[in-house]
Amino acid sequence: MSPCDITVPRVMSHRDMLTELMSQCDVGYHRRMARWQPDARGRLEAAAFELFRERGFEQTTVADIAARAGLDKRTFYRLFGDKREALFSGSGRVEEVLVRAVTESDAGPFEAVVAAFRRVAEELFADRLELVRARQSIIESSPELQERELRKTGSLAAAVTAALRARGLDETTATLATESGATVFRVAYARWVAPDSDAPLSDLIAEVAAELRAITSAPTP
């Protein structure tokens, strides 16, 4: 949602999980970290990420970011509202992929949400584990960034639920499907970032979804 000191995520609530998604899945700048592209937005995103890792979020100014990118502050503010947004600008892409996948799916609500998370994993997370860990360590170091994540997270959950509602589902069904799929992602993500993990995130999502189906379909004692 972009190597450094790694903080393996704690057991998370649904909101925390989506926060993880917004952060680890923020790949607008992740894709650009591998090579320095000439576009101003990409250069600023990469510069911000580098400086936040080197100095910390609080110690980095907009002027520092602009200077590292070889640009001026006016260009920065033309593209971003503040320095936090340079770290979160990829969230729109996450929402786009999730909503499109849910909208295009012919599967049931839960299966559609799981498939949507798998698509995000395949398109936006593949080969990004170290970047994901690095970015999360930046966010966990700053209450201000954590607060911004919560707002981005709320927007993401609402967008997924709205996409299900647009398919004709009622509010309760749409909400349950979103939260169930999000729980699957949360558990799969925790396994993915574990030190001994080497499985792709998409495969882990499928594995955890199967476990949830087995649990919910088991006969009551």
Side-chain angles (χ1 to χ4, degrees):
M1 209 328 211
S2 7
C4 71
D5 293 336
I6 303 304
T7 302
V8 177
R10 59 195 180 284
V11 174
M12 296 171 285
S13 66
H14 167 57
R15 175 173 289 276
D16 287 336
M17 184 288 309
L18 281 174
T19 292
E20 291 288 347
L21 177 59
M22 295 298 293
S23 51
Q24 311 97 24
C25 264
D26 247 349
V27 296
Y29 70 89
H30 288 172
R31 294 185 181 277
R32 298 181 176 96
M33 287 301 295
R35 57 188 185 280
W36 191 264
Q37 296 184 352
D39 62 294
R41 177 177 288 274
R43 288 161 60 188
L44 288 165
E45 290 170 343
F49 183 71
E50 291 169 357
L51 287 167
F52 294 159
R53 289 176 65 184
E54 293 171 10
R55 306 178 185 180
F57 174 77
E58 302 296 341
Q59 291 71 38
T60 300
T61 68
V62 169
D64 294 333
I65 296 170
R68 175 66 66 91
L71 299 166
D72 56 29
K73 290 174 63 176
R74 181 167 58 182
T75 300
F76 181 95
Y77 284 116
R78 178 170 56 83
L79 297 169
F80 304 101
D82 56 42
K83 64 180 182 178
R84 293 173 296 183
E85 286 303 309
L87 199 61
F88 289 93
S89 63
S91 59
R93 175 60 177 157
V94 175
E95 181 176 316
E96 176 188 336
V97 174
L98 279 173
V99 169
R100 184 176 68 249
V102 168
T103 301
E104 295 175 351
S105 177
D106 293 326
F110 172 69
E111 298 301 336
V113 175
V114 169
F117 278 110
R118 292 192 69 191
R119 185 180 297 184
V120 165
E122 292 163 359
E123 295 187 13
L124 307 181
F125 281 80
D127 303 319
R128 305 286 172 182
L129 179 56
E130 293 307 316
L131 292 172
V132 162
R133 287 169 166 169
R135 186 179 185 284
Q136 188 59 26
S137 70
I138 294 171
I139 291 171
E140 290 181 350
S141 71
S142 169
E144 186 177 352
L145 291 176
Q146 293 172 30
E147 185 275 334
R148 178 61 64 94
E149 272 199 319
L150 289 176
R151 284 191 283 169
K152 296 284 187 179
T153 293
S155 296
L156 179 64
V160 173
T161 301
L164 289 171
R165 293 277 285 141
R167 292 177 44 177
L169 298 175
D170 62 83
E171 183 69 28
T172 298
T173 300
T175 299
L176 285 173
T178 297
E179 296 200 4
S180 298
T183 297
V184 166
F185 174 83
R186 171 180 59 80
V187 175
Y189 171 81
R191 293 180 184 179
W192 184 52
V193 299
D196 59 349
S197 174
D198 59 2
L201 178 56
S202 179
D203 290 353
L204 292 172
I205 292 172
E207 176 184 290
V208 175
E211 293 174 9
L212 181 57
R213 293 187 200 97
I215 292 170
T216 57
S217 63
T220 302

